[in-house]
Amino acid sequence: MRRFAFFVILFAAAGLAACKPEAPRPPTGGQSALDIMEKVAVGANRCWFKSGDPAFKAYSLAPELTSFSGRPRILLVRKGSPDIRPLLVVQAEGRPARLDAFGPLMNETLAPRIQKDVVRWANGAKDC
């Protein structure tokens, strides 16, 4: 019974850690969530995927900018995998937009780079 309780607690803690939001919060100057996420999606596509960046080679970009929930977002999923659960979600909401990034990739060594890139693109930078 103790072993079962231990695994339940361990599983719950792992699940919470995997979903822990890491919130890059750029100054958005009153821009809408869609305005911000369009910039982020273009930057991610150009710099992470079209450039052939080896850090993102195992992933695919799934933009979901048209959202009736008011939260346009982009997803990174494992390339070629039937399991399409996102490994990274970057979304914005509100006006001025509040930007969030979360998912298992935000617990990996790639997280600081993701956060810096997303904030830079949200602020209008076009560089990789």
Side-chain angles (χ1 to χ4, degrees), residues 33-42 61-75 90-92:
L34 181 58
D35 294 337
I36 295 296
M37 286 310 302
E38 284 175 344
K39 292 176 187 177
V40 172
V42 167
L61 179 67
E64 295 181 349
L65 299 179
T66 305
S67 168
F68 295 108
S69 70
R71 292 185 190 122
R73 63 188 188 168
I74 62 170
L75 310 173
V90 180
Q91 69 182 19

Side-chain angles (χ1 to χ4, degrees), residues 14-88:
L16 288 175
C19 294
K20 182 184 98 180
E22 296 291 333
R25 302 199 187 272
T28 61
Q31 295 181 44
S32 73
L34 181 58
D35 294 337
I36 295 296
M37 286 310 302
E38 284 175 344
K39 292 176 187 177
V40 172
V42 167
N45 189 42
R46 183 181 65 248
C47 297
W48 291 347
F49 295 96
K50 287 189 175 178
S51 71
D53 188 324
F56 294 92
K57 191 174 187 173
Y59 309 109
S60 293
L61 179 67
E64 295 181 349
L65 299 179
T66 305
S67 168
F68 295 108
S69 70
R71 292 185 190 122
R73 63 188 188 168
I74 62 170
L75 310 173
L76 264 64
V77 296
R78 197 169 314 279
K79 187 185 285 184
S81 174
D83 179 13
I84 59 169
R85 288 180 289 174
L87 299 170
L88 174 68

